[in-house]
Amino acid sequence: MNGVNGKRRSLLGYKETIVMDLVFATQNQNKAKEIQELLPSTIRVKTLAEIGCFDDILETADTLEGNAALKSQYVVDNFQVNCFADDTGLEINTLNGDPGVFSARYAGEGRDSNDHMDLVLKKLEGVTDRTAQFRTVISLIINGEEKQFEGIVKGDITHEKSGKSGFGYDPIFKPTGYSQTFSEMSMEEKNKISHRGIAVRKLIDYLRNI
Ligand code: IMP
């Protein structure tokens, strides 16, 4: 692609960095904040609100890959922009990969993260295999062509909630090799090892090389 990361001369003769506008198809401010920290300044991310999209984009696929693609394709089709969307799930081995694609509504529509975590902890009562992974899939559509990127972080479900930062299932997920849950880590520490961090770095590597 022309000039994603390059330089050009302005009318005044100064070299300026060319910025690529990319819409991030999310309404979740926590995710937008996390991802903003990971992206280089040459890529200017626009939120859905900034392009005037306030639609409730349906996530009706039964895989993370399908839902990520549904979201990015919707924005491309309706707003004629380049766009990326992500979908994430907590996959617990002993629950056959649940809550997975249902992570946002595991305890039912309209329930909050505490309810979802309580349900997970209840289902794992007395269970010794507590291994799990967070998996993020990013669907990027540039000039009508889709590419997907995956990020996985493995860990264990704790026996109780610990920590105050982060969101979602962070208080009950302890990444392998760490003694703290995601919720006890700073956003910076979490970004270094997280599923989303890994997927976003793959996205960035790709964008730097097109
Ligand atoms: P989404 O596809 O990123 O909206 O994620 C779906 C659901 O997975 C969210 O509603 C959260 O409950 C959970 N989730 C996603 N990312 C994270 C994370 O980084 N930490 C904890 N929970 C997460």
Side-chain angles (χ1 to χ4, degrees):
M1 172 161 303
N2 200 5
V4 167
N5 213 8
K7 305 261 186 184
R8 67 182 158 87
R9 265 182 204 284
S10 71
L11 291 176
L12 295 174
Y14 297 115
K15 281 191 175 173
E16 60 186 29
T17 303
I18 294 176
V19 173
M20 179 194 197
D21 283 336
L22 253 191
V23 176
F24 180 21
T26 184
Q27 309 279 10
N28 182 327
Q29 290 307 312
N30 288 309
K31 282 167 59 181
K33 241 169 93 179
E34 278 192 7
I35 234 160
Q36 206 74 256
E37 288 211 353
L38 293 161
L39 287 168
S41 59
T42 47
I43 296 168
R44 192 167 52 195
V45 174
K46 290 192 168 178
T47 62
L48 288 177
E50 282 176 293
I51 60 162
C53 176
F54 301 98
D55 306 348
D56 194 11
I57 304 173
L58 295 178
E59 299 183 25
T60 50
D62 55 8
T63 60
L64 299 176
E65 285 80 0
N67 274 340
L70 272 182
K71 287 186 270 186
S72 57
Q73 194 65 56
Y74 178 93
V75 176
V76 168
D77 289 347
N78 289 280
F79 294 86
Q80 289 76 46
V81 289
N82 292 323
C83 173
F84 69 94
D86 73 344
D87 203 37
T88 295
L90 172 64
E91 300 174 331
I92 301 172
N93 290 325
T94 199
L95 300 180
N96 298 316
D98 277 351
V101 76
F102 305 110
S103 294
R105 50 185 193 277
Y106 194 42
E109 292 289 354
R111 309 296 290 272
D112 66 15
S113 295
N114 261 317
D115 297 328
H116 304 319
M117 286 189 287
D118 287 342
L119 181 56
V120 166
L121 291 177
K122 193 166 182 332
K123 291 207 174 197
L124 292 187
E125 262 171 21
V127 173
T128 47
D129 177 6
R130 305 181 74 89
T131 55
Q133 65 182 23
F134 271 115
R135 193 164 72 89
T136 291
V137 175
I138 293 176
S139 162
L140 168 74
I141 303 181
I142 294 184
N143 298 337
E145 272 192 41
E146 196 213 6
K147 185 121 181 77
Q148 295 202 339
F149 308 88
E150 183 188 62
I152 290 175
V153 59
K154 291 185 183 292
D156 290 283
I157 302 300
T158 54
H159 289 269
E160 56 190 30
K161 301 167 197 164
S162 314
K164 299 224 176 302
S165 60
F167 68 102
Y169 298 86
D170 279 350
I172 59 166
F173 184 83
K174 191 157 63 67
T176 303
Y178 292 80
S179 58
Q180 295 174 307
T181 65
F182 266 167
S183 190
E184 295 171 303
M185 297 179 173
S186 65
M187 190 190 285
E188 200 185 17
E189 277 177 296
K190 180 186 166 187
N191 278 343
K192 275 189 203 150
I193 58 167
S194 80
H195 45 299
R196 191 170 301 104
I198 293 166
V200 168
R201 283 189 286 276
K202 287 183 185 174
L203 169 75
I204 291 166
D205 280 353
Y206 177 79
L207 289 171
R208 284 193 170 133
N209 290 302
I210 53 176

